[in-house]
Amino acid sequence: MAYRTVNQILKSHSSSDGDGVRIQRVHGFDNPHFSPFLMIDELKSLSPDDYIGGFPPHPHRGIETLTYMLNGHFQHKDHLGNVGELRSGGAQWMSAGKGIVHSEMPIMANEQLHGFQIWINLPASKKMSDPQYHDFQSNVITEKQLSDNSLLRIIAGDLTIDGETLTGPLLQTGVPLTVADWQADSNDTMQACLNPDFQAMLYVYQGEISIGDISVAQGHLTLLSTGESLAITANERSGVLLLAGTPINEPVVHYGPFVMNSMDEINQAVEDYQNGTFI
């Protein structure tokens, strides 16, 4: 059985988005090994000044977003009338399809805010589909206690651990994928079987992990090789996001909130938004 190894390590960088919301970002719009994912934004703060403006109304076309909150709330409103408030431990999925305008507001809980927004590409055949939205509160996220202090949470798709296939609540994504969160103490290990056709990567949001003889520290993302299995060890108290999915082997053209397959399609999205026919 072939184990996945480290191909590349990318460091997240400080950025801001929306109305000055401070984030740590790692993206791979131009990296085919990132596919089907496009970007991971990590929101982490103990100060409301870092996010108080939130994300005022803005458009999207051609992507999905998956928001996952460890601590804090995340409010969503869109032009379709969807209104939701994601709470600690929950996830929120939106497929922009042909067009959506929404606003988002992070809110502290117990004086903490820590969460992620993941951009997922849509294949050309689904970029102009109808938009969709769904909340998954913490109580519906699939969990498995791997040891006393090692918890695995499956948010999307499925993952096989010790011969048991665990399936998360989010299954209607544009391409098959898996998103999971592993929280572990020092020296804990996790071994999982992944679809060998998936590309996979890990984002370390706390502590440090090892994959084989390579260590990956907090704030870094590692792109993994192909393989059927994954084995990781926590070098200290750690938290890791696992993202894996079917690669979309199509051109990626990115302009702000729009991700399409050609510049003509980007120009059309901008024109539609400016002339009021976007939605």
Side-chain angles (χ1 to χ4, degrees), residues 21-24 41-45 50-51 55 67-71 74 105-106 113-117:
V21 178
R22 296 177 64 179
I23 55 178
Q24 286 293 121
D41 282 350
E42 181 177 11
L43 299 86
K44 185 177 182 181
S45 179
D50 290 340
Y51 65 85
F55 302 90
T67 305
Y68 173 54
M69 298 301 294
L70 295 170
N71 295 291
F74 203 78
M105 175 59 71
L113 178 73
H114 193 186
F116 312 88
Q117 184 165 99

mmCIF file of all heavy atoms in Angstrom, residues 21-24 41-45 50-51 55 67-71 74 105-106 113-117:
data_model
loop_
_atom_site.group_PDB
_atom_site.id
_atom_site.type_symbol
_atom_site.label_atom_id
_atom_site.label_comp_id
_atom_site.label_asym_id
_atom_site.label_seq_id
_atom_site.Cartn_x
_atom_site.Cartn_y
_atom_site.Cartn_z
ATOM 1 N N VAL A 21 -10.823 42.750 7.169
ATOM 2 C CA VAL A 21 -10.704 41.560 8.015
ATOM 3 C C VAL A 21 -9.308 40.966 7.851
ATOM 4 O O VAL A 21 -8.868 40.666 6.728
ATOM 5 C CB VAL A 21 -11.771 40.512 7.646
ATOM 6 C CG1 VAL A 21 -11.606 39.262 8.512
ATOM 7 C CG2 VAL A 21 -13.163 41.097 7.814
ATOM 8 N N ARG A 22 -8.616 40.755 8.963
ATOM 9 C CA ARG A 22 -7.251 40.225 8.922
ATOM 10 C C ARG A 22 -7.291 38.705 8.862
ATOM 11 O O ARG A 22 -7.998 38.053 9.642
ATOM 12 C CB ARG A 22 -6.470 40.702 10.147
ATOM 13 C CG ARG A 22 -6.290 42.208 10.188
ATOM 14 C CD ARG A 22 -5.593 42.667 11.439
ATOM 15 N NE ARG A 22 -4.229 42.152 11.510
ATOM 16 C CZ ARG A 22 -3.390 42.432 12.518
ATOM 17 N NH1 ARG A 22 -3.780 43.204 13.518
ATOM 18 N NH2 ARG A 22 -2.171 41.926 12.527
ATOM 19 N N ILE A 23 -6.530 38.140 7.934
ATOM 20 C CA ILE A 23 -6.537 36.694 7.713
ATOM 21 C C ILE A 23 -5.119 36.213 7.416
ATOM 22 O O ILE A 23 -4.220 36.994 7.107
ATOM 23 C CB ILE A 23 -7.445 36.313 6.506
ATOM 24 C CG1 ILE A 23 -7.021 37.095 5.253
ATOM 25 C CG2 ILE A 23 -8.909 36.522 6.826
ATOM 26 C CD1 ILE A 23 -7.800 36.757 4.015
ATOM 27 N N GLN A 24 -4.947 34.897 7.536
ATOM 28 C CA GLN A 24 -3.773 34.207 7.015
ATOM 29 C C GLN A 24 -4.232 33.427 5.790
ATOM 30 O O GLN A 24 -5.216 32.675 5.867
ATOM 31 C CB GLN A 24 -3.179 33.258 8.047
ATOM 32 C CG GLN A 24 -2.422 33.938 9.168
ATOM 33 C CD GLN A 24 -1.151 34.619 8.705
ATOM 34 O OE1 GLN A 24 -0.981 35.828 8.874
ATOM 35 N NE2 GLN A 24 -0.244 33.861 8.103
ATOM 36 N N ASP A 41 -8.386 30.539 3.678
ATOM 37 C CA ASP A 41 -8.228 31.704 4.543
ATOM 38 C C ASP A 41 -8.457 31.269 5.981
ATOM 39 O O ASP A 41 -9.472 30.626 6.288
ATOM 40 C CB ASP A 41 -9.246 32.798 4.199
ATOM 41 C CG ASP A 41 -8.856 33.589 2.963
ATOM 42 O OD1 ASP A 41 -7.717 33.430 2.489
ATOM 43 O OD2 ASP A 41 -9.708 34.359 2.470
ATOM 44 N N GLU A 42 -7.535 31.601 6.859
ATOM 45 C CA GLU A 42 -7.689 31.317 8.280
ATOM 46 C C GLU A 42 -7.980 32.616 9.021
ATOM 47 O O GLU A 42 -7.231 33.584 8.908
ATOM 48 C CB GLU A 42 -6.428 30.664 8.849
ATOM 49 C CG GLU A 42 -6.537 30.330 10.337
ATOM 50 C CD GLU A 42 -5.311 29.616 10.894
ATOM 51 O OE1 GLU A 42 -4.282 29.564 10.186
ATOM 52 O OE2 GLU A 42 -5.387 29.119 12.036
ATOM 53 N N LEU A 43 -9.091 32.654 9.745
ATOM 54 C CA LEU A 43 -9.467 33.794 10.562
ATOM 55 C C LEU A 43 -9.199 33.430 12.014
ATOM 56 O O LEU A 43 -9.777 32.467 12.533
ATOM 57 C CB LEU A 43 -10.958 34.133 10.399
ATOM 58 C CG LEU A 43 -11.474 34.533 9.020
ATOM 59 C CD1 LEU A 43 -11.848 33.302 8.203
ATOM 60 C CD2 LEU A 43 -12.703 35.431 9.158
ATOM 61 N N LYS A 44 -8.330 34.177 12.669
ATOM 62 C CA LYS A 44 -7.996 33.885 14.061
ATOM 63 C C LYS A 44 -7.687 35.191 14.772
ATOM 64 O O LYS A 44 -6.782 35.918 14.364
ATOM 65 C CB LYS A 44 -6.794 32.937 14.139
ATOM 66 C CG LYS A 44 -6.465 32.485 15.553
ATOM 67 C CD LYS A 44 -5.313 31.485 15.545
ATOM 68 C CE LYS A 44 -5.006 30.982 16.953
ATOM 69 N NZ LYS A 44 -3.878 30.019 16.956
ATOM 70 N N SER A 45 -8.454 35.478 15.833
ATOM 71 C CA SER A 45 -8.249 36.755 16.499
ATOM 72 C C SER A 45 -8.812 36.727 17.913
ATOM 73 O O SER A 45 -9.763 36.002 18.211
ATOM 74 C CB SER A 45 -8.934 37.879 15.711
ATOM 75 O OG SER A 45 -8.755 39.118 16.371
ATOM 76 N N ASP A 50 -9.883 43.295 14.507
ATOM 77 C CA ASP A 50 -9.324 42.573 13.368
ATOM 78 C C ASP A 50 -10.382 42.160 12.346
ATOM 79 O O ASP A 50 -10.032 41.749 11.236
ATOM 80 C CB ASP A 50 -8.596 41.309 13.847
ATOM 81 C CG ASP A 50 -7.317 41.626 14.602
ATOM 82 O OD1 ASP A 50 -6.797 42.746 14.444
ATOM 83 O OD2 ASP A 50 -6.849 40.755 15.367
ATOM 84 N N TYR A 51 -11.668 42.237 12.704
ATOM 85 C CA TYR A 51 -12.692 41.723 11.790
ATOM 86 C C TYR A 51 -14.018 42.465 11.871
ATOM 87 O O TYR A 51 -14.991 42.069 11.229
ATOM 88 C CB TYR A 51 -12.954 40.245 12.091
ATOM 89 C CG TYR A 51 -13.559 40.012 13.456
ATOM 90 C CD1 TYR A 51 -14.933 40.093 13.661
ATOM 91 C CD2 TYR A 51 -12.746 39.757 14.553
ATOM 92 C CE1 TYR A 51 -15.477 39.920 14.919
ATOM 93 C CE2 TYR A 51 -13.284 39.578 15.805
ATOM 94 C CZ TYR A 51 -14.650 39.662 15.982
ATOM 95 O OH TYR A 51 -15.189 39.503 17.229
ATOM 96 N N PHE A 55 -17.522 41.128 6.031
ATOM 97 C CA PHE A 55 -17.465 41.042 4.570
ATOM 98 C C PHE A 55 -18.784 41.576 4.019
ATOM 99 O O PHE A 55 -19.776 40.842 3.937
ATOM 100 C CB PHE A 55 -17.247 39.593 4.127
ATOM 101 C CG PHE A 55 -15.993 38.962 4.696
ATOM 102 C CD1 PHE A 55 -16.023 38.289 5.909
ATOM 103 C CD2 PHE A 55 -14.789 39.052 4.010
ATOM 104 C CE1 PHE A 55 -14.886 37.708 6.439
ATOM 105 C CE2 PHE A 55 -13.630 38.474 4.529
ATOM 106 C CZ PHE A 55 -13.681 37.811 5.748
ATOM 107 N N THR A 67 -17.038 27.181 4.785
ATOM 108 C CA THR A 67 -16.588 27.880 5.987
ATOM 109 C C THR A 67 -16.704 26.935 7.175
ATOM 110 O O THR A 67 -17.738 26.283 7.347
ATOM 111 C CB THR A 67 -17.432 29.144 6.233
ATOM 112 O OG1 THR A 67 -17.407 29.966 5.053
ATOM 113 C CG2 THR A 67 -16.890 29.940 7.404
ATOM 114 N N TYR A 68 -15.669 26.848 7.983
ATOM 115 C CA TYR A 68 -15.624 25.937 9.126
ATOM 116 C C TYR A 68 -15.113 26.721 10.320
ATOM 117 O O TYR A 68 -14.029 27.313 10.271
ATOM 118 C CB TYR A 68 -14.706 24.756 8.812
ATOM 119 C CG TYR A 68 -14.440 23.819 9.963
ATOM 120 C CD1 TYR A 68 -15.481 23.226 10.679
ATOM 121 C CD2 TYR A 68 -13.137 23.490 10.338
ATOM 122 C CE1 TYR A 68 -15.227 22.354 11.738
ATOM 123 C CE2 TYR A 68 -12.877 22.608 11.380
ATOM 124 C CZ TYR A 68 -13.929 22.046 12.077
ATOM 125 O OH TYR A 68 -13.670 21.186 13.116
ATOM 126 N N MET A 69 -15.910 26.745 11.397
ATOM 127 C CA MET A 69 -15.556 27.526 12.574
ATOM 128 C C MET A 69 -15.176 26.611 13.736
ATOM 129 O O MET A 69 -15.966 25.762 14.156
ATOM 130 C CB MET A 69 -16.732 28.415 13.000
ATOM 131 C CG MET A 69 -17.142 29.451 11.959
ATOM 132 S SD MET A 69 -15.817 30.595 11.515
ATOM 133 C CE MET A 69 -15.579 31.477 13.055
ATOM 134 N N LEU A 70 -13.972 26.783 14.249
ATOM 135 C CA LEU A 70 -13.569 26.108 15.475
ATOM 136 C C LEU A 70 -14.157 26.820 16.689
ATOM 137 O O LEU A 70 -14.717 26.193 17.591
ATOM 138 C CB LEU A 70 -12.045 26.081 15.589
ATOM 139 C CG LEU A 70 -11.286 25.267 14.549
ATOM 140 C CD1 LEU A 70 -9.798 25.544 14.657
ATOM 141 C CD2 LEU A 70 -11.569 23.781 14.709
ATOM 142 N N ASN A 71 -14.011 28.150 16.710
ATOM 143 C CA ASN A 71 -14.549 28.990 17.776
ATOM 144 C C ASN A 71 -15.129 30.254 17.155
ATOM 145 O O ASN A 71 -14.485 30.892 16.326
ATOM 146 C CB ASN A 71 -13.458 29.390 18.783
ATOM 147 C CG ASN A 71 -12.903 28.211 19.545
ATOM 148 O OD1 ASN A 71 -13.595 27.615 20.359
ATOM 149 N ND2 ASN A 71 -11.653 27.861 19.278
ATOM 150 N N PHE A 74 -20.506 32.781 12.543
ATOM 151 C CA PHE A 74 -20.300 33.332 11.202
ATOM 152 C C PHE A 74 -21.683 33.503 10.571
ATOM 153 O O PHE A 74 -22.355 32.520 10.272
ATOM 154 C CB PHE A 74 -19.434 32.382 10.371
ATOM 155 C CG PHE A 74 -18.715 33.037 9.224
ATOM 156 C CD1 PHE A 74 -17.575 33.786 9.440
ATOM 157 C CD2 PHE A 74 -19.187 32.907 7.926
ATOM 158 C CE1 PHE A 74 -16.892 34.380 8.381
ATOM 159 C CE2 PHE A 74 -18.525 33.492 6.872
ATOM 160 C CZ PHE A 74 -17.364 34.243 7.089
ATOM 161 N N MET A 105 -20.430 37.876 8.280
ATOM 162 C CA MET A 105 -19.962 38.594 9.456
ATOM 163 C C MET A 105 -19.452 37.613 10.508
ATOM 164 O O MET A 105 -20.221 36.826 11.067
ATOM 165 C CB MET A 105 -21.084 39.439 10.063
ATOM 166 C CG MET A 105 -20.693 40.137 11.368
ATOM 167 S SD MET A 105 -19.277 41.265 11.196
ATOM 168 C CE MET A 105 -20.027 42.574 10.252
ATOM 169 N N PRO A 106 -18.143 37.602 10.782
ATOM 170 C CA PRO A 106 -17.613 36.789 11.884
ATOM 171 C C PRO A 106 -17.938 37.427 13.228
ATOM 172 O O PRO A 106 -17.944 38.654 13.358
ATOM 173 C CB PRO A 106 -16.109 36.763 11.620
ATOM 174 C CG PRO A 106 -15.837 37.884 10.684
ATOM 175 C CD PRO A 106 -17.103 38.301 10.037
ATOM 176 N N LEU A 113 -12.182 33.884 18.281
ATOM 177 C CA LEU A 113 -12.614 33.716 16.889
ATOM 178 C C LEU A 113 -11.539 32.916 16.167
ATOM 179 O O LEU A 113 -10.381 33.325 16.121
ATOM 180 C CB LEU A 113 -12.800 35.071 16.200
ATOM 181 C CG LEU A 113 -13.199 34.992 14.727
ATOM 182 C CD1 LEU A 113 -14.659 34.542 14.600
ATOM 183 C CD2 LEU A 113 -13.009 36.331 14.025
ATOM 184 N N HIS A 114 -11.922 31.766 15.635
ATOM 185 C CA HIS A 114 -10.965 30.942 14.895
ATOM 186 C C HIS A 114 -11.746 30.085 13.903
ATOM 187 O O HIS A 114 -12.577 29.262 14.299
ATOM 188 C CB HIS A 114 -10.144 30.058 15.822
ATOM 189 C CG HIS A 114 -8.952 29.441 15.166
ATOM 190 N ND1 HIS A 114 -8.135 28.514 15.789
ATOM 191 C CD2 HIS A 114 -8.422 29.606 13.907
ATOM 192 C CE1 HIS A 114 -7.167 28.160 14.968
ATOM 193 N NE2 HIS A 114 -7.323 28.796 13.825
ATOM 194 N N GLY A 115 -11.485 30.310 12.636
ATOM 195 C CA GLY A 115 -12.181 29.539 11.614
ATOM 196 C C GLY A 115 -11.477 29.641 10.274
ATOM 197 O O GLY A 115 -10.412 30.262 10.150
ATOM 198 N N PHE A 116 -12.090 29.036 9.275
ATOM 199 C CA PHE A 116 -11.476 28.934 7.947
ATOM 200 C C PHE A 116 -12.544 29.115 6.871
ATOM 201 O O PHE A 116 -13.687 28.687 7.044
ATOM 202 C CB PHE A 116 -10.836 27.550 7.749
ATOM 203 C CG PHE A 116 -9.966 27.122 8.894
ATOM 204 C CD1 PHE A 116 -10.501 26.438 9.975
ATOM 205 C CD2 PHE A 116 -8.615 27.426 8.907
ATOM 206 C CE1 PHE A 116 -9.721 26.047 11.037
ATOM 207 C CE2 PHE A 116 -7.818 27.047 9.970
ATOM 208 C CZ PHE A 116 -8.369 26.356 11.045
ATOM 209 N N GLN A 117 -12.144 29.724 5.773
ATOM 210 C CA GLN A 117 -12.976 29.675 4.576
ATOM 211 C C GLN A 117 -12.136 29.091 3.441
ATOM 212 O O GLN A 117 -11.038 29.569 3.148
ATOM 213 C CB GLN A 117 -13.528 31.027 4.163
ATOM 214 C CG GLN A 117 -14.474 30.887 2.971
ATOM 215 C CD GLN A 117 -15.337 32.110 2.721
ATOM 216 O OE1 GLN A 117 -15.008 32.915 1.868
ATOM 217 N NE2 GLN A 117 -16.432 32.247 3.454
#
